Amino acid sequence: MLPPRKVKVTELATMETSQAQLVAVSRTAIGLLSSTRQLLGRLEVELAFDFRIIGSGLQGINGVPYYVVDIEKVLRKEEVLERLLLEEFHTWHMSSELDPTDVLHNWKDRDDERGRLIKQELQKLSILRQIETIFLYLFDAGHLRPLGSNRAEPDVEREMRRLVGEAIIHGSSLREQIVSQDGKKVFDMYASILPDQTCGIALIDVTAVIAEERKRKRREWENYRDILGVVTSGKLLLLSDEELFCLLREGHRSLAMDIQAPGDLALLRRSFKSTLEPLGFAATRLLHFLVAVNEAASNTLKHGSGGTIMLYIVPDQQLCRVVIHDQGQGILLEDLPRATLQQGFSTQNSLGAGFHVMLQYCDRIYLSSSAAGTKLILECALTS
């Protein structure tokens, strides 16, 4: 048990939010008190600005508004710190992760000692286990002074001065990620207003961390691509945006439409039918393919604000490909298998039950999903 503190809770089925009190924590579950609403089903619990938990809630004590949330994932909102191991979560929560404003103060008289303490405290951050370089600065009376012998490049120091100026104007600590002028280095930069009206700056080189995180994400993406391909016998393929672009270059665009309202679907079906009928589709096969296209277009309205539908013809391969691009929030990578293959699975960003119709009536489906939206390509042979 621990002293209660407020946390934000989001019910993933409805995306409704509420406040609860965090009163217990372990590596595999947390305990919440909520007298205003029941916390059941899949939940997101936001512990801090860069920490959230995904888990399943259940009633812990009959007649008492106490709920236990089994931890499924511990996530970071920042790209660099997107995910923690569960083993790290317990250590973080019980010791409280460091806010740089807690350590960047009162160091004018003892720079060396304060610098050592700052580094020691910053090492508690999980990200710093992979960090090679930290620069510590003090901004005082208009001068930017490094604490110690390490000094950043002039272009980076200019960015530090800018962030310090913004922190002084706002009267609060600020954090920002910057890229060096040559594009080779990425830094996390913290500017903290100190009690004596000076400003402490911590500059952390996160270049290696970002590179490693990108490699990890790529490996994870490739694993999901292989899983989806094997389970569907190669019928559902996960592709990158670059791969989708190359695929579309194989054909020429014959039709393009914007879908903004349900009334647009009827026009979409008529236009596609009149374009595809002369290409030799059997009547039943054409009907099935139009049903699949209609389902994909409907999803752009259900889970976003509409989208763009384009028809490409690839004569030399006797194929047609329909590209559906929505402007929604995309689908989380870990949700893709359930969102595409599990009937009845539904989230705000799920492709829905209609995806099974698409798999049944198309020869192949290509999928790309990110924060920029979801792209689907429905492929069908012109002759069966």
Side-chain angles (χ1 to χ4, degrees), residues 27-252:
R27 289 188 295 178
T28 57
I30 60 174
L32 301 175
L33 281 176
S34 175
S35 58
T36 57
R37 65 188 306 133
Q38 292 186 326
L39 302 180
L40 304 175
R42 296 196 76 235
L43 306 170
E44 174 187 294
V45 182
E46 186 174 314
L47 299 177
F49 79 97
D50 63 347
F51 262 102
R52 57 193 172 101
I53 285 176
I54 303 295
S56 298
L58 52 90
Q59 188 87 38
I61 304 173
N62 288 334
V64 178
Y66 179 76
Y67 301 88
V68 176
V69 179
D70 289 330
I71 296 174
E72 297 175 13
K73 294 186 288 288
V74 179
L75 305 175
R76 290 276 200 174
K77 289 184 178 178
E78 305 289 339
E79 179 186 6
V80 176
L81 298 174
E82 183 180 5
R83 181 168 304 157
L84 288 182
L85 298 174
L86 286 180
E87 287 79 2
E88 295 182 29
F89 167 72
H90 183 67
T91 302
W92 170 83
H93 191 86
M94 298 308 291
S95 64
S96 295
E97 183 172 65
L98 179 69
D99 180 345
T101 60
D102 292 337
V103 296
L104 298 177
H105 61 82
N106 295 333
W107 51 359
K108 288 183 64 179
D109 297 333
R110 301 176 62 188
D111 283 352
D112 291 342
E113 177 64 14
R114 287 303 184 185
R116 184 188 68 79
L117 291 175
I118 291 167
K119 290 182 180 180
Q120 177 180 309
E121 289 297 317
L122 287 173
Q123 289 296 332
K124 294 179 182 178
L125 290 168
S126 58
I127 183 177
L128 295 185
R129 297 173 187 175
Q130 305 175 63
I131 294 297
E132 295 180 357
T133 305
I134 302 174
F135 301 93
L136 301 176
Y137 280 76
L138 184 70
F139 186 81
D140 186 16
H143 298 289
L144 189 67
R145 178 167 58 87
L147 298 179
S149 58
N150 289 338
R151 187 157 199 153
E153 294 296 322
D155 62 294
V156 176
E157 289 193 354
R158 283 195 296 271
E159 292 297 309
M160 293 169 67
R161 286 180 175 273
R162 176 187 57 78
L163 188 66
V164 167
E166 294 178 6
I168 293 173
I169 292 173
H170 289 88
S172 62
S173 300
L174 295 179
R175 175 185 179 184
E176 189 174 302
Q177 193 170 90
I178 63 169
V179 180
S180 62
Q181 198 169 43
D182 60 11
K184 295 181 179 180
K185 293 287 186 179
V186 182
F187 298 95
D188 262 359
M189 186 165 57
Y190 302 80
S192 298
I193 303 298
L194 305 181
D196 58 3
Q197 303 305 308
T198 61
C199 188
I201 306 101
L203 186 72
I204 305 172
D205 186 343
V206 296
T207 310
V209 177
I210 290 178
E212 183 58 34
E213 180 67 8
R214 286 174 178 168
K215 289 180 183 178
R216 184 196 65 76
K217 285 190 172 184
R218 180 65 187 181
R219 290 193 298 268
E220 185 179 26
W221 183 88
E222 290 173 349
N223 288 337
Y224 279 98
R225 178 197 61 189
D226 294 343
I227 290 171
L228 291 174
V230 169
V231 170
T232 62
S233 300
K235 198 167 184 177
L236 175 58
L237 300 178
L238 185 62
L239 298 183
S240 66
D241 282 345
E242 293 80 5
E243 291 169 328
L244 286 175
F245 176 76
C246 291
L247 193 70
L248 296 180
R249 292 184 62 185
E250 297 176 356
H252 63 270

